[in-house]
Amino acid sequence: MTRIPDASITRVSLSLSDIIGAEYTRAVCAARAVAEGGDARALAAIAEEKVDFFPAGLAPRLDAMLPLVGTRVSEGLAHSARGAPSRGVRDASRTDAAPLTGMGFFRIGEDGRLYFVSKAEHYHLSLGHAFPGYRLLEHARALGIPNITHNNTRGHITRLLEEELVAAAHGLRRDDLAALERALDSTDPHALNRVINLETGSLVVEAALKMVLTRFFSFEKGQPAPKYAGRVPVILVMGDREGGTGANYHGTTVLTQVMRGLWPELGARLESSDSMRVRPVKINDSADFQDVLTRWDTGRYKVAAFFHEIVMMNYGAVRLEQDYLARAYALCREHDVPTVADEIQSCAWSPEMFLFREYGLEPDIVAMGKGFPGGEYPAARVLFSPGVDTLQQFGALVTNGQEEIASLAFLVTMAFVRANRSFVSDVGEYYEAGLKDLAARHPDLVERMEGRRHMASLFFHRAETVSRFVSILVKGGIDISVQSYKANCPPSCMTKLPLICTPRAVEYLIGKMDAALQTLSRS
């Protein structure tokens, strides 16, 4: 493995006023003093109190705990609630590993053991457990900032976040207000400058699909005829290794599940009635993409959109190549096909906040969630351009999508990632290099490494081997799993490290993986 990088987390110390504005917090303090009959000066002290996002002693403390992974470090919970889950949830549950507490990239389970959360608690723990910067959320509650709003009364924090997301999408400095104003005012049909606030990634992608379908079908009676009324919408998605649609994953609403091959009878009826068709395109095959697009973008059919992830975390972390996506986007632009970049998995896991910026892409719609609120809230956003701004007010909103404290969680995460771009990049590259080195040193077992930086996997030659590999690691306290719930998925194991993982933590994980591979080689 390459030399451990000399990477350390940049200290960030901010107050609530620093994040959401002093003028706003002064107004909040004055209003709260009236509401509760208290002292506005005491509230102002909370608003101005600096919070250290990652104290100097935290990384050494976390590194010192690494040798304890897999061991019992506390008493645990002897008698745990049984719950009332569905059959599927019950069969998949591991309540012994359910959290009693968490810190950084660790969790202590109900069995009292220390676990290394190499999947970021199923993909959303961007800044680790008990991230100190989220203390600002408690400060906001102490000031009485309501979390409960509605889309007609979107609060200052949520509107501020909308601006921050537009700035990040355009690569603007936070203090370049003139450039931000130009971006917000742009009427370019492809400029990302509009946001809908929702609660989950599934609803965000559903909103994107609704925008796409309104170019074919009226949302409500009495509307002008849509641009492509009478033509059959054809959705392009990433195909699996067998030529089906099983590789893509864009949420759990009915139509997005149809897009990945679920509800087969419903999908067949949609096709037979020419209501909607879904067509797969081969992974990283530009010639196939052009062939499929031109074949289905003629006559009564019209390609309605191209939906894609950049790192396909629900298909072994396969990464789409930059040249492939650049060519696909160019073809889509030529054919008036909206591009939907699903960054629900990758948002915040890039030094640029969004992987599409690293790729130099200009999507029409961007779905985001998971990473930005850091697991603190179910909160997601869809960022889109004027050309697809077709939904009416009630076309996509949910009652609780505008929660102010959830929006603050976004802003805190973004402030930390913005200040730690080099750390995120360096540690992520170190992890990626370590996995590539493992694949090179164990070619009899491992086919290749896939993914990008913290979001990565190892592909194995045989499903039995990856199952044994994962079993060894899980017994040792590493939270990792086989990518097995999709029948056509290559045999792989998935990881998604929290962004606060230290170089020592990466070295530890790679070492455990190497030891497991050596055990398998000997056997």
Side-chain angles (χ1 to χ4, degrees):
M1 192 171 177
T2 58
R3 184 178 64 84
I4 296 179
D6 185 21
S8 58
I9 289 174
T10 298
R11 301 284 294 280
V12 178
S13 183
L14 297 171
S15 69
L16 201 57
S17 291
D18 294 329
I19 292 280
I20 57 180
E23 182 179 358
Y24 170 69
T25 54
R26 281 195 298 269
V28 165
C29 293
R32 189 64 185 175
V34 172
E36 66 182 15
D39 184 354
R41 290 172 299 180
L43 294 169
I46 298 173
E48 299 300 328
E49 181 185 341
K50 300 281 187 181
V51 167
D52 191 338
F53 280 26
F54 206 87
L58 182 52
R61 169 62 182 161
L62 295 173
D63 286 346
M65 293 174 68
L66 286 166
L68 301 176
V69 170
T71 67
R72 194 174 184 192
V73 295
S74 73
E75 291 183 5
L77 178 64
H79 304 289
S80 181
R82 61 175 290 180
S86 67
R87 182 176 63 253
V89 171
R90 181 195 64 215
D91 293 345
S93 292
R94 289 182 54 227
T95 54
D96 57 331
L100 290 178
T101 192
M103 177 64 72
F105 38 82
F106 298 120
R107 174 203 332 137
I108 298 177
E110 290 186 6
D111 58 3
R113 297 175 73 208
L114 184 68
Y115 292 87
F116 185 99
V117 292
S118 74
K119 291 191 303 178
E121 301 294 23
H122 205 72
Y123 308 154
H124 61 170
L125 195 73
S126 55
L127 302 185
H129 283 292
F131 178 65
Y134 290 140
R135 281 180 50 209
L136 289 180
L137 277 59
E138 303 304 323
H139 288 191
R141 293 188 185 95
L143 295 187
I145 294 176
N147 196 41
I148 304 167
T149 64
H150 192 261
N151 75 305
N152 292 342
T153 53
R154 292 167 18 263
H156 167 83
I157 301 174
T158 295
R159 285 178 276 119
L160 179 62
L161 171 61
E162 293 168 5
E163 295 177 6
E164 291 272 356
L165 292 172
V166 171
H170 288 263
L172 303 178
R173 295 195 323 272
R174 192 166 182 252
D175 59 351
D176 193 345
L177 300 182
L180 176 59
E181 286 295 320
R182 289 193 296 271
L184 292 170
D185 292 338
S186 175
T187 57
D188 182 335
H190 301 289
L192 290 168
N193 61 4
R194 305 180 187 196
V195 178
I196 295 176
N197 307 292
L198 298 164
E199 284 202 302
T200 72
S202 292
L203 291 178
V204 161
V205 182
E206 176 80 357
L209 183 58
K210 288 175 181 176
M211 293 180 196
V212 167
L213 292 179
T214 57
R215 304 197 334 148
F216 295 81
F217 307 107
S218 296
F219 173 70
E220 58 188 355
K221 293 180 179 180
Q223 289 185 310
K227 184 175 184 178
Y228 293 113
R231 297 182 72 178
V232 180
V234 181
I235 308 294
L236 301 188
V237 298
M238 300 313 304
D240 57 39
R241 296 192 301 176
E242 278 68 39
T245 60
N248 78 92
Y249 185 105
H250 299 293
T252 57
T253 57
V254 173
L255 286 182
T256 57
Q257 287 187 333
V258 167
M259 286 163 52
R260 60 183 168 110
L262 301 181
W263 305 94
E265 293 87 358
L266 175 58
R269 290 196 180 191
L270 289 171
E271 290 224 357
S272 64
S273 65
D274 266 346
S275 298
M276 185 180 87
R277 290 178 178 250
V278 180
R279 288 295 176 266
V281 291
K282 294 180 180 178
I283 294 172
N284 293 327
D285 188 332
S286 294
D288 177 75
F289 187 94
Q290 182 169 359
D291 179 62
V292 173
L293 187 147
T294 54
R295 187 191 321 156
W296 290 100
D297 200 58
T298 185
R300 62 189 304 208
Y301 298 101
K302 171 72 183 132
V303 175
F306 170 40
F307 282 73
H308 73 92
E309 294 179 282
I310 296 178
V311 178
M312 300 167 65
M313 287 297 288
N314 290 280
Y315 198 67
V318 171
R319 179 162 65 100
L320 299 187
E321 296 169 357
Q322 187 169 351
D323 290 345
Y324 168 76
L325 285 175
R327 177 61 180 151
Y329 271 53
L331 287 167
C332 287
R333 188 67 62 90
E334 290 175 14
H335 288 258
D336 189 27
V337 174
T339 47
V340 182
D342 184 343
E343 291 233 29
I344 290 167
Q345 288 282 6
S346 51
C347 64
W349 262 269
S350 165
E352 295 290 327
M353 305 282 187
F354 298 106
L355 266 180
F356 80 79
R357 283 200 48 77
E358 291 190 52
Y359 272 53
L361 301 174
E362 295 182 357
D364 295 289
I365 304 174
V366 180
M368 71 193 82
K370 286 189 190 299
F372 277 133
E376 294 293 311
Y377 279 89
R381 305 290 184 260
V382 58
L383 179 63
F384 58 101
S385 55
V388 290
D389 188 1
T390 56
L391 289 178
Q392 299 300 317
Q393 178 185 11
F394 297 101
L397 65 87
V398 293
T399 301
N400 296 327
Q402 331 295 322
E403 293 169 322
E404 286 281 83
I405 312 298
S407 294
L408 178 58
F410 269 71
L411 292 170
V412 169
T413 304
M414 293 174 73
F416 181 82
V417 174
R418 190 183 298 114
N420 282 279
R421 285 181 171 134
S422 296
F423 179 82
V424 170
S425 179
D426 291 347
V427 175
E429 298 286 352
Y430 180 54
Y431 182 54
E432 184 176 333
L435 292 180
K436 288 179 179 176
D437 181 61
L438 284 179
R441 288 191 292 108
H442 298 278
D444 55 325
L445 302 174
V446 180
E447 179 184 336
R448 69 183 188 274
M449 170 264 173
E450 270 288 357
R452 187 74 175 107
R453 299 193 188 96
H454 302 74
M455 302 169 56
S457 70
L458 290 175
F459 276 31
F460 286 72
H461 297 295
R462 299 177 58 196
E464 177 190 1
T465 308
V466 68
S467 294
R468 292 172 61 198
F469 173 76
V470 165
S471 178
I472 292 171
L473 292 177
V474 169
K475 287 179 181 177
I478 308 295
D479 182 22
I480 190 171
S481 63
V482 179
Q483 183 77 28
S484 60
Y485 74 94
K486 287 191 174 184
N488 295 329
C489 187
S492 60
C493 63
M494 302 291 299
T495 62
K496 187 177 184 183
L497 304 188
L499 295 174
I500 49 90
C501 268
T502 62
R504 291 292 179 190
V506 170
E507 181 188 38
Y508 171 85
L509 180 59
I510 293 293
K512 290 295 183 181
M513 289 180 170
D514 190 25
L517 290 170
Q518 291 182 39
T519 298
L520 292 174
S521 292
R522 288 193 297 269
S523 63

